Amino acid sequence: MSVPTSSPRHALAQEASTAPAPRPGIAALPGYSRSAGKSTVRWIASSNESAVPPSPAVQAAIAAAGAAANRYPSLAGDELVSVIAARLGLGPGQVLAGAGSLALLQLLLSTYTGPGDEVIYAWRSYEAYPILAGVAGAAVVEVPLDASARHDLDAMAAAIGPATRAVIVCSPNNPTGTTVTDAEMLQFLHRVPPHVLVILDEAYREFCLPEHDAVTLLAGFPNLAVLRTFSKAYGLAGLRAGYLAASEVVTTMLRRAALPFPLSRVAEAAAVVAWSESEGTARTVAGIVAERDYLTAQLRRRGILVPSSGGNFVWIPAGTRARELEAACLQRSVSVRAFDGDGVRVTLAGRAASTAVLAAVDALPGLTRQTPAPGAP
Ligand code: PMP
């Protein structure tokens, strides 16, 4: 039987009915920001991606996996999980792979938090935190960064209350680049009650030299989960691959809640090869760190209080002039990310891109003389 879709009766019924309602709080969630002009500029410095394309070996793995795309991938990214666990000295049960660390963060928050719970994180930090906590139904507690744009771990520990179920620490912090030291993290973990999950987001850890290893903390803190990604130093942002390391108490519960087949065949195959290319990754990282030193020094010479960054990006605390600086960069064919009223985050994308950003800074009279909000080195 055919159902008339445009009869007057149908139209009336549609008007009278209400649309399906999402869970409370969903409609009010902020959206993810979109990079201005990314498709038209010469240099993309707005999304903290790698400017280096995948190696020939990674590209060959992508092509080979694509040729078998009629078959499902492994149930849980099994090969990737086993090579990661072996190198980190963890049991395979302690590692989970996901479609980017974002997917794993969503899994963590929706497994461990919900309506009536609180999630604490520093602010300003990664824009996904309020969104994913909100999707889980939890309330958020944002603890301001300190005057040096670093996590205020004392204030974060003090904010833990009876409703707190999770705390997120982002180190290096997106967008300010500031890092939490191993000693600070250890001290913080001792202050967090064992029933509160601590999520350490280390998306940029490879750029923070000398390398430290939070994974060694897992043995002493079963409430810790460490999140990492193939999107940044490994240059696979377009394929979506990330991993999580935690105690089996946590990973067992996450497996219950996780979707099967979290990684495509192509993403898993590429990540396995990228993971094995330590020398190439170290070379890419060294190039980015050298450019970070250069851009940071040039900005500081101009009087801008740029925090020392452990990421593949630099934070310019432009305050209320953030949008103006973003526009000046776009005019010079570089896309950067402006955060209203706070500053501009510039992904390192090579010397020509840095030169264009410096020209944009120089074109804004007074930018270098203002006293920025958070961001002193
Ligand atoms: N954490 C932080 C701090 C990030 O900046 C990003 C990406 N911008 C992510 C997690 C997500 O990375 P992905 O999902 O690509 O692994």
Side-chain angles (χ1 to χ4, degrees):
M1 190 183 89
S2 71
V3 179
T5 53
S6 53
S7 72
R9 241 183 94 187
H10 183 79
L12 271 179
Q14 262 190 340
E15 269 174 40
S17 73
T18 52
R23 288 195 350 259
I26 297 289
L29 291 175
Y32 290 94
S33 41
R34 222 172 258 281
S35 313
K38 199 172 165 182
S39 56
T40 53
V41 296
R42 251 177 104 183
W43 300 288
I44 300 170
S46 50
S47 299
N48 290 352
E49 300 146 326
S50 174
V52 182
S55 72
V58 171
Q59 293 196 32
I62 289 171
N70 52 311
R71 300 288 175 200
Y72 275 107
S74 63
L75 188 67
D78 305 340
E79 188 186 355
L80 183 60
V81 163
S82 81
V83 294
I84 291 171
R87 184 172 318 153
L88 299 185
L90 296 171
Q94 288 186 266
V95 176
L96 246 73
S101 55
L102 258 182
L104 293 163
L105 179 60
Q106 177 166 36
L107 177 64
L108 279 164
L109 290 174
S110 55
T111 304
Y112 281 93
T113 77
D117 299 332
E118 284 177 1
V119 177
I120 297 176
Y121 51 82
W123 199 253
R124 182 173 286 277
S125 190
Y126 183 33
E127 67 177 343
Y129 301 157
I131 299 173
L132 295 183
V135 170
V140 302
V141 177
E142 298 184 336
V143 177
L145 296 170
D146 71 12
S148 304
R150 303 186 70 227
H151 278 51
D152 185 344
L153 292 174
D154 282 340
M156 288 174 75
I160 294 173
T164 307
R165 299 294 306 277
V167 183
I168 308 173
V169 174
C170 185
S171 177
N173 186 47
N174 175 7
T176 60
T178 50
T179 54
V180 171
T181 66
D182 286 351
E184 288 168 336
M185 192 64 203
L186 184 63
Q187 209 177 25
F188 180 69
L189 283 165
H190 278 297
R191 293 182 65 182
V192 178
H195 69 276
V196 173
L197 183 70
V198 178
I199 301 168
L200 175 58
D201 183 345
E202 293 196 315
Y204 302 97
R205 82 174 277 274
E206 292 84 1
F207 304 101
C208 184
L209 301 172
E211 280 195 29
H212 66 119
D213 203 352
V215 162
T216 57
L217 298 170
L218 292 177
F221 297 94
N223 59 332
L224 174 65
V226 179
L227 274 179
R228 294 180 179 168
T229 183
F230 285 88
S231 298
K232 312 296 178 181
Y234 294 95
L236 298 181
L239 288 183
R240 316 305 298 129
Y243 66 96
L244 167 158
S247 66
E248 297 228 12
V249 196
V250 170
T251 55
T252 303
M253 290 305 129
L254 295 177
R255 277 194 193 92
R256 300 238 166 107
L259 288 173
F261 315 118
L263 284 186
S264 71
R265 268 182 180 274
V266 172
E268 180 175 7
V272 166
V273 176
W275 182 251
S276 73
E277 294 182 329
S278 311
E279 270 178 38
T281 307
R283 255 196 317 276
T284 303
V285 167
I288 287 165
V289 168
E291 196 55 37
R292 185 176 74 199
D293 289 347
Y294 171 79
L295 184 58
T296 303
Q298 288 295 318
L299 290 165
R300 285 181 181 167
R301 270 185 48 191
R302 288 160 168 80
I304 300 182
L305 302 175
V306 176
S308 296
S309 172
N312 62 349
F313 55 91
V314 164
W315 174 245
I316 304 180
T320 52
R321 303 190 68 188
R323 288 280 167 205
E324 212 184 324
L325 178 56
E326 178 190 45
C329 288
L330 266 181
Q331 248 176 17
R332 287 159 185 80
S333 210
V334 200
S335 65
V336 295
R337 183 65 61 91
F339 296 90
D340 272 336
D342 267 5
V344 168
R345 190 193 66 197
V346 181
T347 308
L348 296 150
R351 183 56 48 91
S354 299
T355 303
V357 168
L358 290 167
V361 165
D362 290 338
L364 295 188
L367 181 73
T368 56
R369 282 196 304 278
Q370 75 171 16
T371 312

